[in-house]
Amino acid sequence: MGRGWGGSTGKGGEGRQVMQSSVQEAAPVAEGGGAGTVDGGEGRGGRRRERPGRGRRFMKWSATVLAVLIVGTAGAGYLYYRHLNGNIKHDDLNLGDSKVAKPTPNAAGQTPLNILLIGSDARDTEENQKLGGAKETFGTPPRADVQMLLHLSADRSNMSVVSMPRDTLVQIPKCTDPDDDEAYPASNGRVATNQSLRNGGPGCTVATWQELTGIHIDHFIMVDFAGVVSMADAIGGVPVCVDANIESRDSQGHGSGLKLEEGTHPVKGEQALQWLRTRYGFEDGSDLARAKAQHMYMTSMVREMRENATLSSPLKLRRLAEEATDALTVDPGLDDVKKLFDLSNELRKVNPKRITMTTMPNRYVGVQVEPTEDAEKLFRLVRDDIALDGKDKKKAKAEEKLSDDPAAPDTEIGVQVQNGTSTDTLGPAGGRAGTVAGLLVDKGFTLAAADGSVVLSEDRTVVRYPSAELEGDAQRVAKSLGIPLSSVKRSTEVTGVTLVVGADWREGTAYKAPKQDDKLPDADKALNGADEDACMHVNPAFTF
């Protein structure tokens, strides 16, 4: 039976072809060693998905997709049966209009890899509907109820995983399905990020992430309810810990149904899915607690896959390969088992001690959340390939990359200047937009003008521009005032080059960029991949 939220699962290739490979011990790998190259192309091909329909939101798995990526630690041979390629479903990488440039290679010619892991709440098969419940939502469009960005550093020394709560308020961009030219308009204001999957598929979820974060995404991997169960069974169970007895069910019947006694227990199959969906019973019952439980599951799975030598068993490995390929929907850059194996070779270079998992900094807006200023700081760390564990070797200062599109003459560049000096504790500094607009006019930007209609709150001074053809103009404005190019941002919220004077420039006529802080926000809430003592706190109202 096909899994994922779309398409048939016809088998690709005639017969089977086995590429010889020695079975490797499932143990940590020394640094260095060969690795395949994974291309982040956005091409098309293969099966088309059927368009499903709407569903009630259930948090879903994304953690177990990592098992596919690191399956190379157990051995490669059985991954190369050609018929496995036919199991893998694929879809477009990015359905948005705007693209984010790939990172500049480091001195060794290496670039980071960014992979979006998506957990779909699809109920498009009887198996998915049985596992997800909600009979009235069978065959309705899924939502991207789990979203995690996996960032593999350019030098392959460390890995970061950033979760975004499913109800994060974001602007979903216009998404166009090239197969039928169906266009999904941009959201009218901010909506929950998990709705992005409805707008043509995972390619719209990728586009939404890129618009919000400015991070180039190379690949996506998506799994559904049935994929969680089959993968967990094939692996043989993942150890998880609770600090008290837990039963995730309230008097109204809400909850995942997870029931565990205090301590550490291996979970697999439907119980693994329950763990990854549990909100009622973990800590404060929020999406944030659920993301923490998912991080614990993922790190435990990584250790299990690296350390459990039983996975070198040909039968177990074959079953894992079968279930893994059948559970996935990927972009065309990962649409065969060799590409997945090449990617696993890249990921297995990272020692669990250098894996950091965190959740996007956020604040509540009613019952939903929105990114905070610290979220942009976290996104910058990922964009700049800075390790979240703070253990990067000292790097040479990166050269600021100029736009390929040259700037217009200063006298032809229109600039709107806004006052963003307001903070949580201080009111806006008076007249800042007019003062800085005057500075620009004195420097030859005769079309610069103050916009007194809005007062904003920006920690740092920023120059925004709406489209690629204005990037050079925005950079020229920044350079004239001594603003670093890292503070020049593309944004759909502006219609032209817009300079927002931030709280870091409340007075004076000379801008001095503040010292850059590269520490992870909310570092005390992050989880290290080698932490075997992590244990979920159980809400006393859900114990027995």
Side-chain angles (χ1 to χ4, degrees):
M1 169 167 34
R3 298 192 176 95
W5 65 274
S8 59
T9 55
K11 306 298 180 184
E14 296 295 328
R16 301 188 296 191
Q17 176 182 355
V18 181
M19 298 182 67
Q20 298 300 318
S21 174
S22 59
V23 175
Q24 304 166 347
E25 288 292 325
V29 180
E31 288 190 11
T37 300
V38 179
D39 181 21
E42 300 183 14
R44 300 191 50 75
R47 268 176 317 286
R48 264 307 281 169
R49 66 195 186 284
E50 295 174 1
R51 196 174 306 286
R54 191 174 64 156
R56 196 173 63 177
R57 297 173 295 179
F58 277 96
M59 181 60 81
K60 222 207 82 21
W61 179 81
S62 73
T64 52
V65 291
L66 196 60
V68 179
L69 307 182
I70 61 172
V71 73
T73 59
Y78 286 90
L79 286 176
Y80 288 89
Y81 284 117
R82 287 186 61 186
H83 80 92
L84 292 180
N85 287 340
N87 290 350
I88 304 172
K89 297 166 286 296
H90 52 95
D91 212 328
D92 301 281
L93 175 60
N94 188 346
L95 298 182
D97 291 338
S98 63
K99 310 297 179 186
V100 174
K102 292 184 178 182
T104 303
N106 62 15
Q110 303 166 301
T111 54
L113 272 176
N114 294 305
I115 305 158
L116 188 62
L117 311 180
I118 302 171
S120 147
D121 72 349
R123 292 170 176 80
D124 57 342
T125 66
E126 290 185 8
E127 185 176 5
N128 274 329
Q129 196 278 325
K130 178 181 178 181
L131 293 167
K135 293 181 180 180
E136 71 278 6
T137 64
F138 182 81
T140 55
R143 303 188 189 196
D145 270 358
V146 175
Q147 299 173 35
M148 294 183 183
L149 180 67
L150 187 156
H151 172 83
L152 179 63
S153 66
D155 63 5
R156 306 309 190 244
S157 68
N158 65 88
M159 186 188 304
S160 306
V161 179
V162 178
S163 289
M164 185 188 297
R166 66 176 184 174
D167 285 336
T168 300
L169 294 172
V170 297
Q171 178 76 40
I172 297 177
K174 176 184 176 182
C175 292
T176 304
D177 188 335
D179 278 350
D180 50 20
D181 292 325
E182 182 172 359
Y184 298 83
S187 60
N188 184 15
R190 298 189 303 172
V191 297
T193 183
N194 65 350
Q195 294 186 31
S196 59
L197 194 59
R198 296 176 168 187
N199 291 11
C204 194
T205 304
V206 169
T208 301
W209 268 79
Q210 290 199 157
E211 286 280 349
L212 176 67
T213 67
I215 298 169
H216 175 81
I217 295 177
D218 300 286
H219 301 290
F220 75 79
I221 298 176
M222 184 169 70
V223 182
D224 62 11
F225 288 132
V228 177
V229 173
S230 62
M231 287 283 294
D233 284 346
I235 291 164
V238 175
V240 296
C241 176
V242 287
D243 66 0
N245 297 346
I246 181 174
E247 184 169 9
S248 178
R249 189 74 71 194
D250 67 10
S251 58
Q252 284 77 44
H254 301 133
S256 70
L258 177 71
K259 188 172 184 179
L260 286 175
E261 294 183 354
E262 177 184 353
T264 300
H265 308 274
V267 293
K268 60 181 180 178
E270 189 169 353
Q271 195 173 44
L273 177 62
Q274 290 173 335
W275 174 273
L276 293 159
R277 292 177 59 204
T278 293
R279 180 162 64 88
Y280 293 92
F282 283 157
E283 299 186 350
D284 62 356
S286 70
D287 242 10
L288 307 180
R290 177 155 43 190
K292 183 177 178 180
Q294 292 167 351
H295 291 164
M296 288 185 182
Y297 185 96
M298 180 183 280
T299 57
S300 181
M301 174 171 285
V302 171
R303 293 193 298 271
E304 193 73 9
M305 292 292 292
R306 292 175 70 98
E307 298 169 5
N308 188 350
T310 62
L311 283 178
S312 62
S313 159
L315 290 179
K316 280 201 170 188
L317 180 59
R318 181 170 182 174
R319 182 184 179 193
L320 179 57
E322 292 278 0
E323 298 292 356
T325 54
D326 202 32
L328 300 180
T329 300
V330 299
D331 67 274
L334 293 177
D335 63 357
D336 66 51
V337 289
K338 184 180 186 304
K339 293 175 183 176
L340 287 170
F341 180 65
D342 287 346
L343 180 57
S344 78
N345 273 339
E346 297 289 276
L347 294 172
R348 60 192 279 243
K349 295 177 182 179
V350 181
N351 189 300
K353 293 180 180 179
R354 298 298 314 279
I355 298 175
T356 304
M357 301 191 179
T358 191
T359 298
M360 178 199 75
N362 59 82
R363 58 177 162 246
Y364 279 103
V365 180
V367 297
Q368 296 174 301
V369 299
E370 66 180 3
T372 64
E373 294 76 15
D374 277 344
E376 170 52 31
K377 177 182 176 182
L378 175 60
F379 300 150
R380 177 184 62 79
L381 295 179
V382 175
R383 287 195 302 266
D384 293 348
D385 196 26
I386 296 172
L388 299 189
D389 61 8
K391 296 179 181 178
D392 264 339
K393 294 179 181 179
K394 190 173 182 179
K395 296 180 179 179
K397 185 177 180 180
E399 293 185 6
E400 293 187 320
K401 185 180 178 182
L402 291 172
S403 171
D404 294 331
D405 185 50
D410 294 352
T411 56
E412 297 178 12
I413 299 176
V415 187
Q416 189 176 60
V417 184
Q418 298 175 337
N419 189 340
T421 58
S422 178
T423 72
D424 291 340
T425 57
L426 296 172
R432 292 307 292 162
T435 297
V436 175
L439 289 175
L440 286 170
V441 171
D442 290 344
K443 290 178 179 292
F445 295 88
T446 55
L447 298 181
D451 174 14
S453 64
V454 294
V455 175
L456 306 174
S457 178
E458 291 281 350
D459 286 343
R460 293 196 177 191
T461 299
V462 63
V463 182
R464 296 192 171 102
Y465 64 96
S467 54
E469 59 268 19
L470 291 179
E471 181 180 21
D473 293 358
Q475 289 184 343
R476 173 63 190 146
V477 170
K479 188 176 181 180
S480 72
L481 294 173
I483 299 170
L485 296 191
S486 59
S487 295
V488 178
K489 310 287 185 185
R490 185 168 178 169
S491 172
T492 58
E493 297 179 357
V494 298
T495 57
V497 176
T498 303
L499 190 159
V500 183
V501 184
D504 58 347
W505 198 10
R506 289 179 60 87
E507 59 184 17
T509 56
Y511 178 74
K512 185 178 180 180
K515 187 176 180 180
Q516 191 160 273
D517 177 13
D518 289 341
K519 293 182 180 179
L520 171 65
D522 298 330
D524 58 318
K525 299 177 182 178
L527 181 66
N528 183 272
D531 185 358
E532 298 185 34
D533 298 323
C535 204
M536 285 303 297
H537 174 63
V538 175
N539 187 317
F542 290 86
T543 193
F544 64 91

